[in-house]
Amino acid sequence: MTDTTTPTPTPTPTPEPTTEPTTDAPRPDDDGNPNAEAARYRTRLREAEAERDSIAGRLTGYQRKEAERLASAGLSKASDLWLDGVDVAELLDDDGQVDADKVAAQVA
């Protein structure tokens, strides 16, 4: 007797559904209401603005620390760089990097 078995096909993995909701799909509670859609966009705008402000604040902090590091060669206390009301923007080059020459000019 010959045993003929048919091979069982290997199941293909099904992709997992994403858990993040899509922002473009209408929500069931707004029923296509344009005011609700506009409110969602305003909320997203406020969140993006808050994130931008947070990142800008951190960047300014890093720039201040870099300017103080450069100024520490000529000052006993690096934070004295800011005593004359110098703004960090005055110490940046055209690319937004801290300019060592501008820091040295403030220290001198």
Side-chain angles (χ1 to χ4, degrees), residues 30-100:
D30 62 357
D31 297 324
N33 182 351
N35 289 334
E37 183 179 4
R40 271 197 325 274
Y41 286 127
R42 285 191 303 273
T43 301
R44 286 175 46 195
L45 171 67
R46 300 298 177 260
E47 290 169 355
E49 287 174 337
E51 184 177 1
R52 178 209 57 205
D53 294 344
S54 171
I55 291 170
R58 277 189 264 160
L59 176 62
T60 301
Y62 291 135
Q63 290 168 331
R64 287 179 64 91
K65 295 236 185 273
E66 176 63 11
E68 288 177 3
R69 185 189 68 79
L70 293 170
S72 67
L75 295 173
S76 60
K77 188 174 178 185
S79 61
D80 288 348
L81 177 65
W82 314 113
L83 291 178
D84 291 332
V86 177
D87 186 26
V88 72
E90 298 171 22
L91 304 175
L92 303 179
D93 62 12
D94 294 335
D95 295 328
Q97 302 295 321
V98 177
D99 189 340

Side-chain angles (χ1 to χ4, degrees), residues 1-21:
M1 255 175 40
T2 312
D3 190 17
T4 59
T5 58
T6 54
T8 31
T10 354
T12 57
T14 57
E16 294 292 321
T18 59
T19 58
E20 295 181 21

